[in-house]
Amino acid sequence: MGMVDVTQKPVVFRKAEASGRIYLSSEALEAIRNGNIKKGDPFLVGEVAAMNAAKQTHLLIPHCHQISLDTVRVGFQVARDFVEATCFVSAQARTGVEMEALVGVTMALNTVWDMVKYLEKDEGGQYPGTRITDVRVLKKEKSPV
């Protein structure tokens, strides 16, 4: 058990992109579209949360190496009944950055949920329709530096 030894691996340019969806009520989606969320813009806050999370992946997932990221880009798209988030990460490193992209996108989605939860709760305080789904790595690539 333990971290994989990457000492002998060459430093290469690595990039990965992950995405996921959060299904929300029509009320929450309308409030997002109209800029009427009490806590502020969930996409702006979600972007910052995703960047912070991606940079701290090694603290959250025990066997991940600490990687100095060159960039983290986060995007959101509102669809009919969900918001899709994407997180792109790149670095010059000895190991891949797909976990950083996954951690970033899931934190973005969790942050959106936190910011709209008052609109999502039913009369019993539960979230019957809210769900995060389809979290996946869209692509990962590496090339010589």
Side-chain angles (χ1 to χ4, degrees):
M1 187 159 100
M3 290 175 64
V4 173
D5 185 352
V6 296
T7 306
Q8 300 303 316
K9 290 178 75 176
V11 172
V12 298
F13 181 68
R14 297 171 183 271
K15 55 187 175 179
E17 185 172 18
S19 71
R21 294 178 176 175
I22 181 167
Y23 284 82
L24 299 170
S25 66
S26 56
E27 181 183 7
L29 289 165
E30 188 65 24
I32 289 171
R33 284 186 193 98
N34 293 329
N36 293 329
I37 301 299
K38 290 179 185 178
K39 290 184 175 183
D41 182 347
F43 298 160
L44 181 61
V45 179
E47 178 183 17
V48 173
M51 289 186 295
N52 283 339
K55 293 187 292 185
Q56 296 179 42
T57 298
H58 69 285
L59 298 174
L60 303 169
I61 302 177
H63 292 140
C64 282
H65 293 82
Q66 185 173 358
I67 298 174
S68 178
L69 301 179
D70 294 328
T71 191
V72 178
R73 289 195 309 265
V74 183
F76 297 91
Q77 285 196 315
V78 180
R80 186 177 59 81
D81 57 351
F82 63 85
V83 170
E84 184 165 70
T86 57
C87 182
F88 172 85
V89 178
S90 69
Q92 296 177 51
R94 289 185 165 88
T95 187
V97 293
E98 63 271 22
M99 297 312 297
E100 287 74 7
L102 285 166
V103 167
V105 80
T106 55
M107 187 53 66
L109 295 166
N110 286 333
T111 299
V112 170
W113 189 323
D114 175 63
M115 294 189 69
V116 302
K117 66 186 178 189
Y118 70 98
L119 297 169
E120 291 295 297
K121 291 179 189 177
D122 66 11
E123 54 280 343
Q126 301 302 309
Y127 303 98
T130 313
R131 65 192 183 281
I132 293 173
T133 67
D134 301 308
V135 174
R136 64 199 180 280
V137 175
L138 297 174
K139 62 183 170 185
K140 64 176 263 187
E141 299 175 17
K142 63 181 179 178
S143 59
V145 175

